[in-house]
Short mmCIF file of all heavy atoms in Angstrom, two decimals:
data_model
loop_
_atom_site.label_atom_id
_atom_site.label_comp_id
_atom_site.label_asym_id
_atom_site.label_seq_id
_atom_site.Cartn_x
_atom_site.Cartn_y
_atom_site.Cartn_z
N THR A 205 126.13 -17.30 88.34
CA THR A 205 126.37 -17.87 86.99
C THR A 205 127.74 -18.50 86.99
O THR A 205 128.69 -17.90 87.54
CB THR A 205 126.29 -16.78 85.91
OG1 THR A 205 125.02 -16.19 85.95
CG2 THR A 205 126.51 -17.41 84.52
N THR A 206 127.90 -19.68 86.45
CA THR A 206 129.22 -20.34 86.48
C THR A 206 129.51 -21.09 85.19
O THR A 206 128.64 -21.77 84.65
CB THR A 206 129.36 -21.30 87.69
OG1 THR A 206 130.65 -21.88 87.67
CG2 THR A 206 128.31 -22.39 87.64
N PRO A 207 130.76 -20.99 84.72
CA PRO A 207 131.19 -21.81 83.58
C PRO A 207 131.83 -23.13 84.02
O PRO A 207 132.20 -23.95 83.20
CB PRO A 207 132.23 -20.93 82.90
CG PRO A 207 132.84 -20.18 84.03
CD PRO A 207 131.77 -19.97 85.07
N PHE A 208 131.90 -23.33 85.33
CA PHE A 208 132.56 -24.53 85.90
C PHE A 208 131.64 -25.75 85.83
O PHE A 208 130.52 -25.71 86.39
CB PHE A 208 133.01 -24.27 87.35
CG PHE A 208 134.20 -23.43 87.49
CD1 PHE A 208 134.12 -22.03 87.38
CD2 PHE A 208 135.48 -23.99 87.71
CE1 PHE A 208 135.23 -21.24 87.51
CE2 PHE A 208 136.58 -23.19 87.84
CZ PHE A 208 136.49 -21.82 87.74
N TYR A 209 132.12 -26.80 85.17
CA TYR A 209 131.34 -28.06 85.07
C TYR A 209 131.51 -28.82 86.40
O TYR A 209 132.64 -29.03 86.86
CB TYR A 209 131.83 -28.89 83.91
CG TYR A 209 131.10 -30.22 83.76
CD1 TYR A 209 129.91 -30.28 83.03
CD2 TYR A 209 131.59 -31.39 84.32
CE1 TYR A 209 129.20 -31.49 82.91
CE2 TYR A 209 130.92 -32.58 84.19
CZ TYR A 209 129.72 -32.64 83.48
OH TYR A 209 129.04 -33.81 83.35
N ALA A 210 130.41 -29.22 87.02
CA ALA A 210 130.42 -29.94 88.25
C ALA A 210 130.56 -31.46 87.96
O ALA A 210 129.92 -31.96 87.03
CB ALA A 210 129.18 -29.69 89.09
N GLU A 211 131.33 -32.15 88.76
CA GLU A 211 131.55 -33.60 88.57
C GLU A 211 130.22 -34.32 88.39
O GLU A 211 129.31 -34.21 89.21
CB GLU A 211 132.27 -34.16 89.80
CG GLU A 211 132.54 -35.65 89.70
CD GLU A 211 133.26 -36.18 90.96
OE1 GLU A 211 134.21 -35.49 91.42
OE2 GLU A 211 132.86 -37.22 91.47
N SER A 212 130.12 -35.05 87.31
CA SER A 212 128.87 -35.76 87.01
C SER A 212 129.09 -36.73 85.83
O SER A 212 129.90 -36.47 84.95
CB SER A 212 127.79 -34.74 86.62
OG SER A 212 126.57 -35.37 86.30
N GLY A 213 128.37 -37.84 85.86
CA GLY A 213 128.42 -38.79 84.76
C GLY A 213 129.81 -39.34 84.47
O GLY A 213 130.12 -39.70 83.35
N GLY A 214 130.63 -39.42 85.52
CA GLY A 214 131.99 -39.95 85.35
C GLY A 214 133.01 -38.88 85.02
O GLY A 214 134.23 -39.10 85.16
N GLN A 215 132.56 -37.69 84.58
CA GLN A 215 133.50 -36.62 84.24
C GLN A 215 133.84 -35.84 85.49
O GLN A 215 132.95 -35.40 86.24
CB GLN A 215 132.93 -35.69 83.19
CG GLN A 215 133.84 -34.56 82.78
CD GLN A 215 133.31 -33.72 81.64
OE1 GLN A 215 132.58 -34.21 80.75
NE2 GLN A 215 133.61 -32.41 81.63
N VAL A 216 135.12 -35.58 85.71
CA VAL A 216 135.56 -34.86 86.91
C VAL A 216 135.15 -33.39 86.77
O VAL A 216 134.87 -32.86 85.68
CB VAL A 216 137.11 -34.92 87.07
CG1 VAL A 216 137.53 -36.36 87.31
CG2 VAL A 216 137.83 -34.31 85.89
N GLY A 217 135.12 -32.70 87.92
CA GLY A 217 134.78 -31.30 87.96
C GLY A 217 135.89 -30.40 87.43
O GLY A 217 137.07 -30.75 87.50
N ASP A 218 135.51 -29.21 86.94
CA ASP A 218 136.48 -28.28 86.42
C ASP A 218 137.29 -27.66 87.56
O ASP A 218 136.90 -27.58 88.72
CB ASP A 218 135.76 -27.08 85.72
CG ASP A 218 135.34 -27.45 84.30
OD1 ASP A 218 136.03 -28.31 83.71
OD2 ASP A 218 134.37 -26.88 83.81
N LYS A 219 138.50 -27.21 87.18
CA LYS A 219 139.34 -26.38 88.04
C LYS A 219 139.55 -25.06 87.34
O LYS A 219 139.27 -24.91 86.15
CB LYS A 219 140.70 -27.06 88.28
CG LYS A 219 140.61 -28.36 89.09
CD LYS A 219 141.99 -28.96 89.33
CE LYS A 219 141.89 -30.24 90.13
NZ LYS A 219 143.21 -30.84 90.39
N GLY A 220 140.04 -24.07 88.08
CA GLY A 220 140.26 -22.76 87.45
C GLY A 220 140.48 -21.70 88.49
O GLY A 220 141.04 -21.96 89.56
N TRP A 221 139.99 -20.46 88.22
CA TRP A 221 140.27 -19.33 89.10
C TRP A 221 139.08 -18.42 89.19
O TRP A 221 138.25 -18.32 88.28
CB TRP A 221 141.45 -18.53 88.57
CG TRP A 221 142.70 -19.39 88.41
CD1 TRP A 221 143.66 -19.59 89.35
CD2 TRP A 221 143.05 -20.13 87.27
NE1 TRP A 221 144.61 -20.47 88.86
CE2 TRP A 221 144.29 -20.81 87.59
CE3 TRP A 221 142.49 -20.32 85.99
CZ2 TRP A 221 144.92 -21.64 86.68
CZ3 TRP A 221 143.15 -21.16 85.09
CH2 TRP A 221 144.33 -21.79 85.45
N LEU A 222 138.98 -17.74 90.34
CA LEU A 222 137.97 -16.70 90.56
C LEU A 222 138.71 -15.41 90.80
O LEU A 222 139.58 -15.32 91.68
CB LEU A 222 137.09 -17.03 91.76
CG LEU A 222 136.29 -18.34 91.72
CD1 LEU A 222 135.58 -18.56 93.03
CD2 LEU A 222 135.31 -18.34 90.55
N GLN A 223 138.44 -14.38 89.97
CA GLN A 223 139.06 -13.05 90.19
C GLN A 223 138.04 -12.23 90.98
O GLN A 223 136.98 -11.86 90.49
CB GLN A 223 139.33 -12.42 88.83
CG GLN A 223 140.17 -11.17 88.92
CD GLN A 223 141.63 -11.46 89.29
OE1 GLN A 223 142.19 -12.39 88.81
NE2 GLN A 223 142.18 -10.62 90.19
N VAL A 224 138.41 -11.97 92.25
CA VAL A 224 137.54 -11.21 93.15
C VAL A 224 138.28 -9.90 93.50
O VAL A 224 139.19 -9.90 94.34
CB VAL A 224 137.18 -11.96 94.42
CG1 VAL A 224 136.16 -11.23 95.25
CG2 VAL A 224 136.72 -13.38 94.09
N GLY A 225 137.92 -8.82 92.82
CA GLY A 225 138.65 -7.57 93.00
C GLY A 225 140.08 -7.75 92.59
O GLY A 225 140.37 -8.18 91.48
N ASN A 226 141.03 -7.48 93.48
CA ASN A 226 142.46 -7.65 93.15
C ASN A 226 142.97 -9.05 93.53
O ASN A 226 144.13 -9.34 93.28
CB ASN A 226 143.29 -6.58 93.89
CG ASN A 226 143.00 -5.20 93.35
OD1 ASN A 226 142.76 -5.03 92.16
ND2 ASN A 226 142.98 -4.21 94.26
N ALA A 227 142.09 -9.85 94.15
CA ALA A 227 142.53 -11.18 94.61
C ALA A 227 142.16 -12.25 93.60
O ALA A 227 141.09 -12.19 92.99
CB ALA A 227 141.88 -11.47 95.96
N GLU A 228 143.05 -13.23 93.45
CA GLU A 228 142.76 -14.38 92.60
C GLU A 228 142.68 -15.63 93.48
O GLU A 228 143.61 -15.92 94.23
CB GLU A 228 143.80 -14.55 91.53
CG GLU A 228 143.48 -15.66 90.53
CD GLU A 228 144.48 -15.79 89.40
OE1 GLU A 228 145.56 -16.31 89.65
OE2 GLU A 228 144.18 -15.33 88.28
N VAL A 229 141.58 -16.33 93.38
CA VAL A 229 141.35 -17.56 94.19
C VAL A 229 141.32 -18.77 93.26
O VAL A 229 140.61 -18.74 92.27
CB VAL A 229 140.03 -17.46 94.99
CG1 VAL A 229 139.80 -18.71 95.81
CG2 VAL A 229 140.03 -16.22 95.86
N GLU A 230 142.08 -19.79 93.62
CA GLU A 230 142.11 -20.98 92.81
C GLU A 230 140.94 -21.91 93.17
O GLU A 230 140.70 -22.20 94.35
CB GLU A 230 143.41 -21.76 92.99
CG GLU A 230 143.53 -22.98 92.10
CD GLU A 230 144.82 -23.73 92.26
OE1 GLU A 230 145.65 -23.32 93.12
OE2 GLU A 230 145.04 -24.74 91.57
N VAL A 231 140.22 -22.39 92.15
CA VAL A 231 139.16 -23.38 92.32
C VAL A 231 139.78 -24.73 92.12
O VAL A 231 140.29 -25.05 91.04
CB VAL A 231 137.99 -23.15 91.33
CG1 VAL A 231 136.93 -24.25 91.49
CG2 VAL A 231 137.36 -21.77 91.54
N VAL A 232 139.80 -25.56 93.18
CA VAL A 232 140.48 -26.87 93.09
C VAL A 232 139.56 -28.01 92.70
O VAL A 232 139.99 -29.07 92.33
CB VAL A 232 141.17 -27.21 94.44
CG1 VAL A 232 142.26 -26.20 94.75
CG2 VAL A 232 140.17 -27.23 95.59
N ASP A 233 138.23 -27.77 92.77
CA ASP A 233 137.27 -28.81 92.34
C ASP A 233 135.89 -28.19 92.24
O ASP A 233 135.60 -27.12 92.80
CB ASP A 233 137.26 -29.97 93.34
CG ASP A 233 136.72 -31.26 92.74
OD1 ASP A 233 136.32 -31.25 91.56
OD2 ASP A 233 136.68 -32.27 93.47
N THR A 234 135.05 -28.86 91.48
CA THR A 234 133.64 -28.42 91.37
C THR A 234 132.74 -29.66 91.46
O THR A 234 132.94 -30.63 90.75
CB THR A 234 133.38 -27.72 90.00
OG1 THR A 234 134.43 -26.74 89.78
CG2 THR A 234 132.03 -27.03 89.99
N LYS A 235 131.77 -29.61 92.36
CA LYS A 235 130.86 -30.74 92.54
C LYS A 235 129.43 -30.22 92.62
O LYS A 235 129.17 -29.02 92.73
CB LYS A 235 131.20 -31.48 93.82
CG LYS A 235 132.56 -32.19 93.80
CD LYS A 235 132.82 -32.93 95.10
CE LYS A 235 134.21 -33.59 95.12
NZ LYS A 235 134.29 -34.70 94.18
N LYS A 236 128.49 -31.19 92.61
CA LYS A 236 127.08 -30.89 92.72
C LYS A 236 126.56 -31.29 94.08
O LYS A 236 126.94 -32.30 94.62
CB LYS A 236 126.27 -31.60 91.67
CG LYS A 236 126.12 -30.81 90.35
CD LYS A 236 125.15 -31.54 89.43
CE LYS A 236 124.98 -30.75 88.14
NZ LYS A 236 124.08 -31.46 87.16
#
Side-chain angles (χ1 to χ4, degrees):
T205 301
T206 180
F208 284 80
Y209 180 85
E211 180 181 316
S212 179
Q215 180 175 328
V216 298
D218 279 334
K219 294 182 180 181
W221 302 270
L222 301 175
Q223 190 71 42
V224 187
N226 294 323
E228 185 177 76
V229 179
E230 184 179 2
V231 176
V232 295
D233 201 359
T234 312
K235 295 181 182 290
K236 269 187 180 178

